[in-house]
Structure formats: C-alpha cells, structure tokens
Amino acid sequence: QVDLVESGGGFVQAGGSLRLSCAAPRQILSTFTSNTLGWYRQAPGRERELVASIIPGGATNYADSVKGRFTISKDNRKRSVYLQMNSLKPEDTGVYYCHHNGPYVNDKWGQGTQVTVSS
C-alpha cells in the first residue's frame, strides 16, 4: 500500500516551471491537518536536502536556494501538498520526495519523482 502518491515531475528547460503534487488519500482529515508537510530533493551524489515545508498553521519555510522561485501549498480537503517550481535551474535537478511528520504519522516519505532541468 502506498500512503503518499507523488506526481508532476518531468523534464524541463532552464527557466521553465513544474508543479509537484503529493496526495495522502488514506489519511483522515484530522491526521493530515496535524502534519508538517515537506518537500525534499536528492541530487546524484548528494545528500537529501529540505526544499520547503509547511506547518499545520500554514507558515512556510524554504531553502535559500529556492526562495522567490518555489512555493509550497496544501489543500486539506484533497489531502494534498504541492510544490510550484518556477524559474527552474539545472541545479534544481534531482529526485523530489514528499514528507509527512506529525503526532499520528511518523516520518512518512513518498516514492519520489524525478525532476530534470536542462541548460
């Protein structure tokens, strides 16, 4: 059973945009709304790093490298978290992972979706 379903990765030229989605269809609303939701990425040969996160109250946090270009958002009714990525750069290339953590969900990861940005 897959708890987190990611979609939206792909191949894009530098300067382009992609929107990632991560759905948690098996979570009840109270569980989803109590989670801190995040997007991480891992480039070849590098450690996984936090790209953006959003806490239950809605406050967001971004890595310095993506500030002003990426936006994280969520839709509680759809049990989904999104990452809008604009002005993409080749260094944004990597596998992007959705992450949930909260009082009822302990460190849950999505399967990952590949993002490739060509120069």
Side-chain angles (χ1 to χ4, degrees):
Q1 290 178 322
V2 178
D3 292 326
L4 301 180
V5 182
E6 298 183 28
S7 61
F11 182 93
V12 65
Q13 290 188 332
S17 298
L18 286 173
R19 185 181 190 232
L20 306 183
S21 299
C22 174
R26 297 176 64 235
Q27 285 187 15
I28 61 175
L29 182 60
S30 59
T31 295
F32 183 83
T33 56
S34 66
N35 289 339
T36 291
L37 311 173
W39 287 97
Y40 289 71
R41 69 185 177 194
Q42 188 165 19
R46 300 188 64 176
E47 292 187 354
R48 194 173 296 188
E49 62 174 353
L50 176 66
V51 175
S53 63
I54 182 168
I55 65 173
T60 57
N61 179 58
Y62 296 93
D64 287 343
S65 60
V66 307
K67 284 180 180 176
R69 300 189 297 122
F70 290 11
T71 303
I72 188 171
S73 61
K74 63 177 179 174
D75 185 330
N76 291 333
R77 286 195 310 120
K78 295 183 179 180
R79 315 293 195 268
S80 293
V81 59
Y82 308 99
L83 186 68
Q84 178 66 44
M85 305 185 294
N86 299 328
S87 302
L88 281 161
K89 303 176 181 180
E91 51 263 44
D92 294 318
T93 293
V95 180
Y96 283 69
Y97 297 90
C98 170
H99 182 257
H100 283 214
N101 196 56
Y104 311 108
V105 175
N106 184 27
D107 203 25
K108 186 72 69 173
W109 293 93
Q111 80 278 12
T113 185
Q114 177 70 44
V115 171
T116 302
V117 185
S118 66
S119 58

